[in-house]
Every structure is written in C-alpha cells, then in structure tokens.
Amino acid sequence: MNKRAALFLAAASAASALALAGCGGGGGSSPASSSAPAAAPASPSSAAPSSAAPSSTASAEVETLKTASVAGHTIVVDGDGKAVYVYTRDNPGATTSACTGGCASLWPAVTSAGAPTLQGVTGKIGSITGVDGKQQITVNGMPIYYYAKDTAPGQVNGQGVANVWYVIGADGSMIQTPLASGSSGTGGY
C-alpha cells in the first residue's frame, strides 16, 4: 500500500509540474515599465464591487482595485483585499496573456465587466481579452492575476514564485522585495 501511495504521489507531482510549466521556471525577465500603454483608460464608477471569490469565472461585475499595506509596502489588492500579481513573462502593452492552460488555473485573471473602480491606485488601467474571453484588467499595460493559494485578504503567497510573479505598488510598479504575510511560504506550486 505504501508503494502504491508513493507512486501515486510521484505521478501526481509530475503531472502538476507539467501542467504548470507555463507558470514559472527559468529566470525572470525585467520589471514592467510604468510608461507602457494600456488598452483603455479607467474612470471610477459607482458599480458594485466584485464577488468574494475571485475567479476567472466570476459573474460580470465591475471590479474594485484599491491599496493595502503588507509588510511595510503599499500594494494593489481587489475590493475584498486579495493581492493581485503581474507575470514577468507578459509583455507590457501586449494584447494577450502569456499565462494559459494550467498556469491560468493557478493564476486566474483579474477581470471586470467595465472600467474598475479605483481607490488609491494611480497606475494606468486598461484591459485585454483574457484567456477565458473576459476583459482582464491591466495596470501599466501588464495583465494582473490572483494566486489560487492566497485564500484570505493580506496573503501574498505568490510573491516571487519562480522569480516571475510579483505584487505591484499603487503606481503599477513591480515590487520584487520578499514580503511576509499571515500565511507561510512563497515557494512551489
């Protein structure tokens, strides 16, 4: 029985690694430029905030982006306080996301049915058509994502994963400093 369990775990780990190969590995690329063009201008709206469960399959609602302080850094979070990330393999101003397949399952796109409501966010807001066909929010031309392993507001478990995933400051600049949150670890998938 122990051999069977070990084989199963090894096979599951290998399958996960292959499915998520697009999410990391290798060295990171240069930080996002804060002067990159965005797809559309943003304007605050009075629409309802997003649902409590961030997901690329959330209903068509207008998202709220605001700031929060985590480990002494002011970062961008959604309306529920969940951290958002940029992927350094995306190109500023590109019209498609580099995070597809298994990557998009672990790093769901932050989507909005219209221009997001902004509270303290000064980066240039736009959007692209995400891998699921919804409008994925961009900040300074970089698509933004959630990390599935962040299960509560204030967690930044995705910070620095594979040296390609990072939170962003209010101005949209990438923060590459390690951050500690209420949950442990930034390693692994």
Side-chain angles (χ1 to χ4, degrees):
M1 178 100 170
N2 286 337
K3 286 182 182 180
R4 188 181 321 193
L7 285 173
F8 174 76
L9 288 175
S13 294
S16 293
L18 288 174
L20 298 174
C23 292
S29 61
S30 63
S33 165
S34 62
S35 63
S43 61
S45 73
S46 60
S50 70
S51 66
S55 159
S56 59
T57 59
S59 63
E61 295 182 14
V62 173
E63 182 62 78
T64 296
L65 295 179
K66 59 185 183 177
T67 60
S69 181
V70 175
H73 292 275
T74 300
I75 67 168
V76 176
V77 298
D78 74 357
D80 296 318
K82 297 236 178 155
V84 301
Y85 299 85
V86 292
Y87 183 37
T88 61
R89 293 192 177 158
D90 282 321
N91 293 312
T95 59
T96 59
S97 168
C99 181
T100 61
C103 178
S105 296
L106 189 57
W107 298 91
V110 179
T111 61
S112 187
T117 301
L118 303 177
Q119 298 172 3
V121 177
T122 59
K124 188 172 182 181
I125 304 300
S127 66
I128 62 170
T129 301
V131 296
D132 61 0
K134 296 180 182 174
Q135 291 302 297
Q136 181 174 4
I137 300 170
T138 63
V139 179
N140 293 344
M142 292 290 284
I144 59 174
Y145 307 84
Y146 294 109
Y147 183 44
K149 293 184 180 182
D150 285 346
T151 58
Q155 292 182 339
V156 287
N157 296 314
Q159 179 67 358
V161 167
N163 295 318
V164 294
W165 293 98
Y166 298 99
V167 296
I168 54 174
D171 64 354
S173 62
M174 187 177 353
I175 298 172
Q176 292 181 292
T177 306
L179 304 175
S181 70
S183 183
S184 63
T186 60
Y189 293 88

